[in-house]
Amino acid sequence: MSAATVRPRYLLDHSVMSHYRTNAAVERAIDELAITGALCSSTVTMDEARFSARNATDLGYLTELYGSVFHWLPADDMVEDNVRRIRTALWKIGAGRGAQTTDVQIAAVALRHDATVVHNDTDFLTIARALPEFRQQRITPS
């Protein structure tokens, strides 16, 4: 009997998901990730999506998508340790304020759960410069 294969995890930032329904290139890229791995969300990514809702119907759709369709990556004390580690690493490269708090928290969740952050946000590029083990994939709308 062979060992179970672990699928890669992709933590979806709203900077890329906000283009999912409106940009064919983004939709294709996310759909390809869904074939090879697990699409994931967290408290922070869900709240970013909810913040962007245009009305109650949109809020319901986004809550269902991020809360039930995507694989949930919870936060715990290790996430807080990662937040501290990321912010310290940013200061060490001279970019202490080079990433917003929400993006640092998303990166910390991804590190905790061995996930790649999928985004369209330069903050994650800065975090990757500061912390080389942080995995990120940028998808830009065409």
Side-chain angles (χ1 to χ4, degrees):
M1 187 174 277
S2 65
T5 303
V6 177
R7 295 177 65 201
R9 293 178 177 162
Y10 300 105
L11 181 53
L12 301 171
D13 184 59
H14 194 65
S15 63
V16 73
M17 286 305 294
S18 64
H19 300 282
Y20 181 79
R21 294 190 284 178
T22 59
N23 186 280
V26 170
E27 186 174 349
R28 242 185 338 274
I30 298 296
D31 289 350
E32 288 173 12
L33 292 175
I35 292 167
T36 62
L39 302 181
C40 302
S41 66
S42 68
T43 300
V44 180
T45 60
M46 179 187 276
D47 192 52
E48 282 186 330
R50 286 174 172 160
F51 180 77
S52 74
R54 292 175 180 86
N55 53 49
T57 301
D58 202 26
L59 178 65
Y61 168 79
L62 291 166
T63 299
E64 178 69 18
L65 178 66
Y66 280 77
S68 298
V69 176
F70 296 154
H71 179 76
W72 189 255
L73 301 180
D76 60 15
D77 290 344
M78 288 182 70
V79 170
E80 170 53 30
D81 292 343
N82 285 337
V83 167
R84 184 176 352 98
R85 190 161 63 102
I86 292 166
R87 193 59 74 184
T88 300
L90 287 167
W91 279 105
K92 283 183 180 175
I93 67 163
R97 294 185 179 164
Q100 293 184 37
T101 57
T102 53
D103 293 338
V104 169
Q105 291 172 20
I106 291 166
V109 169
L111 285 166
R112 166 67 175 98
H113 294 283
D114 193 29
T116 299
V117 173
V118 179
H119 66 92
N120 181 33
D121 185 330
T122 58
D123 285 4
F124 294 112
L125 301 176
T126 303
I127 294 168
R129 261 190 325 111
L131 205 64
E133 66 266 32
F134 170 66
R135 293 191 318 271
Q136 54 81 31
Q137 180 176 341
R138 188 171 190 185
I139 299 173
T140 55
S142 57

